[in-house]
Structure formats: structure tokens, C-alpha cells
């Protein structure tokens, strides 16, 4: 539906899960990373660990999958601003203090 951002691991999109009738964040992993077995194994392990965490400030990971040779992760989609925007905005409102 919409590109949300890009980073070192790939790109994240807002997508519609037709089976469950909800929006999800779909992270598409860069092919050159997904084809490296050691990087993919480490990434899967991180996903398994993240799946065990339940906290209101941590998004839920739903699935790791592959379609037409493209590896992806589906996770909870939360409407809002990205972290970079929030940090930039908060810096504008903080009083300037000299570093000591």
C-alpha cells in the first residue's frame, strides 16, 4: 500500500493482510542479505527472541515468509510518526543547554 521506510536490511511497507483483515508492516529483506545463510540464521534467531517479548513499547512479529523468492517479515502495524521525526521534533522543543 505504501512505503514506510528503507534501511540496511531492506524496506518496510504498510500492507493489508487479506486473510486476517488488518494492516501489517511488511519488511522485505534485501536479496543479497537473504541469500547469505549465516545472516539469515542470525536474523531468524533475533525474530524468535523478539517474538517472546511482550511489552506495550515493542511491536509484535507475526511471521517470516517467502513469496516468489523474496523473503519478508510481517509485523504489527501501528499508525503514527517514525522515530526519526519524533526525535527531530523533540530537539526543537528542548531548551539549549551548554555541554559540560
Amino acid at each position: 500500500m505504501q512505503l514506510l521506510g528503507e534501511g540496511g536490511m531492506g524496506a518496510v511497507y504498510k500492507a493489508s493482510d487479506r486473510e486476517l483483515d488488518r494492516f501489517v508492516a511488511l519488511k522485505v529483506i534485501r536479496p543479497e542479505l537473504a541469500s547469505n545463510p549465516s545472516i539469515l540464521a542470525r536474523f531468524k534467531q533475533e525474530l524468535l527472541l523478539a517474538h517472546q517479548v511482550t511489552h506495550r513499547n515493542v511491536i509484535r512479529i507475526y511471521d517470516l515468509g517467502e513469496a516468489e523468492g523474496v523473503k519478508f517479515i510481517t509485523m504489527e502495524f501501528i499508525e503514527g510518526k517514525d522515530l526519526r521525526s519524533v526525535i527531530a521534533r523533540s530537539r526543537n522543543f528542548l531548551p539549549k543547554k551548554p555541554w559540560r
Side-chain angles (χ1 to χ4, degrees):
M1 296 177 66
Q2 171 186 3
L3 176 65
L4 299 174
E6 294 181 90
M9 292 295 288
V12 179
Y13 298 88
K14 179 180 180 180
S16 178
D17 183 329
R18 295 180 190 160
E19 291 291 322
L20 299 175
D21 192 30
R22 66 179 172 193
F23 293 120
V24 294
L26 180 73
K27 184 172 189 174
V28 178
I29 304 169
R30 291 181 186 269
E32 64 271 16
L33 297 178
S35 65
N36 182 320
S38 62
I39 289 177
L40 192 56
R42 191 182 92 211
F43 197 65
K44 284 182 183 179
Q45 182 62 31
E46 289 177 19
L47 288 173
L48 290 171
L49 291 172
H51 189 70
Q52 297 173 15
V53 176
T54 303
H55 189 277
R56 65 185 181 96
N57 293 335
V58 177
I59 62 166
R60 291 187 294 170
I61 308 272
Y62 297 137
D63 197 11
L64 172 64
E66 182 175 344
E68 299 179 17
V70 177
K71 295 204 182 326
F72 63 88
I73 301 162
T74 55
M75 60 191 96
E76 182 178 16
F77 173 77
I78 299 174
E79 193 72 50
K81 295 183 177 11
D82 63 273
L83 183 57
R84 183 177 306 204
S85 299
V86 172
I87 291 171
R89 181 176 163 92
S90 68
R91 285 186 180 152
N92 291 333
F93 291 104
L94 293 175
K96 305 271 189 249
K97 294 182 182 178
W99 292 96
R100 293 177 194 223

